[in-house]
Amino acid sequence: MFSTLFAVVIALAIGHGAPAFAAAMRDDGWYQAWLRWLDGRFPGDSFWRGPGGVLLALLPPLLVVALLQLLLRDVVFGLPSLLFGVALLFYAWGPRDLDRDVDVIIDAPDPTARSAALALLRPPAAAGAADAGDPVGRVFSAALRRWFGVLFWFLLLGPAGALLYRLAAIAAEGEPALYLPAGFVDGARRLLALLDWPAAQLMALSLALVGNFDVVVGAWKAGGGARFTLDAGFLAAVGRASVRHELEEDGMQDAALPQALRDAMSLVWRILLAWLALLALFVVAGWVN
């Protein structure tokens, strides 16, 4: 748990303070080259071109990381394991800094610049994410993709879990999804939806605890969160309702987009702090015991 807290702080600090360095370290060119090689290796009607093809893309790098994770676990009091986990979480986080991207939207001088900035919140081949008419929902969708999905699977499976989420997201919504076989992309998107669903549910629960419980639960039910459909679209609905309630409480029902986005990022930060506070409690409990 301590390693997770430490890794999240490092990821946030470097991503915000040194975005160019973070972008260089999080380069996914090696994975895109791997996907192109596989695509050329299995032409025609093959397993690669169906939904199961994503397994061929994911298993080799995940097996390498899982093996290193296992080998480093009890070496030198766990210090190499700690550093390995921090490095993998840092790599999988983002890849762009969410705060900076939202600030660019808020500070945009005209509608054209604002639309271009909003596009940065949406992956190149995203399917089913909030559209251009829902900038608040897009912030929450981006928070799931950049922060909470990675963090949830890191907590569950360690470094391999964080890498699994990031590589699945690249295959499903990144640039490779624009040229890879449709069957492969469909399989990657199904996998990503499976990975997203529990993380989005926990985000909604956290928002209910740090925001207005009744508003969040109502939006969650109306958005389909109570149905097991592997569709995280309810998260955008919950985010919109929460921001609307925040604005109404402040007497700004007709607030401009910049204020709505500020409130959205404030709520996203509250969710993250709630998660980190819970982790801190586990760390303290472990030290006490």
Side-chain angles (χ1 to χ4, degrees):
M1 294 298 179
F2 172 77
S3 63
T4 302
L5 284 172
F6 183 64
V8 170
V9 171
I10 293 295
L12 289 170
I14 297 179
H16 191 76
F21 173 77
M25 293 297 99
R26 292 167 178 162
D27 180 58
D28 61 4
W30 67 271
Y31 185 57
Q32 293 199 38
W34 167 244
L35 292 175
R36 290 192 194 95
W37 183 85
L38 287 173
D39 193 40
R41 186 75 174 176
F42 299 100
D45 187 17
S46 63
F47 178 77
W48 162 256
R49 298 184 174 272
V54 68
L55 298 178
L56 290 176
L58 292 175
L59 283 178
L62 290 179
L63 287 174
V64 171
V65 169
L67 181 60
L68 287 173
Q69 183 178 329
L70 183 63
L71 292 175
L72 294 175
R73 185 172 56 184
D74 298 320
V75 176
V76 194
F77 307 105
L79 180 60
S81 179
L82 169 64
L83 296 177
F84 183 64
V86 170
L88 258 294
L89 184 63
F90 172 75
Y91 175 78
W93 199 264
R96 297 177 59 88
D97 183 75
L98 183 58
D99 273 305
R100 282 180 172 269
D101 280 356
V102 173
D103 285 343
V104 170
I105 300 169
I106 292 172
D107 298 334
D110 55 66
T112 301
R114 181 161 293 155
S115 296
L118 271 169
L120 296 177
L121 292 182
R122 184 182 175 93
D131 60 19
D134 181 20
V136 169
R138 187 174 290 194
V139 169
F140 283 87
S141 297
L144 169 64
R145 187 69 73 249
R146 300 186 188 190
W147 292 4
F148 296 97
V150 173
L151 180 54
F152 175 84
W153 289 102
F154 182 83
L155 287 169
L156 212 60
L157 301 175
L163 187 64
L164 165 65
Y165 186 84
R166 177 54 56 221
L167 297 187
I170 293 171
E173 297 183 341
E175 289 183 14
L178 299 174
Y179 57 78
L180 289 174
F184 172 92
V185 174
D186 180 60
R189 286 176 176 167
R190 291 183 193 179
L191 174 60
L192 185 60
L194 179 64
L195 298 175
D196 273 340
W197 193 83
Q201 291 285 3
L202 281 180
M203 285 181 68
L205 174 61
S206 303
L207 189 54
L209 297 176
V210 301
N212 185 285
F213 188 87
D214 292 336
V215 168
V216 171
V217 171
W220 174 74
K221 290 180 178 178
R227 299 191 299 269
F228 187 75
T229 58
L230 294 185
D231 181 0
F234 63 86
L235 182 61
V238 165
R240 287 192 302 270
S242 297
V243 169
R244 185 164 55 247
H245 177 75
E246 294 274 318
L247 293 174
E248 289 173 354
E249 280 200 329
D250 294 337
M252 297 186 292
Q253 293 91 333
D254 300 320
L257 177 60
Q259 184 58 47
L261 293 179
R262 289 189 188 96
D263 280 7
M265 275 307 304
S266 175
L267 289 169
V268 167
W269 270 105
R270 284 190 222 170
I271 297 171
L272 182 61
L273 291 175
W275 285 33
L276 296 182
L278 183 60
L279 289 176
L281 286 176
F282 279 113
V283 171
V284 172
W287 286 344
V288 170
N289 289 336

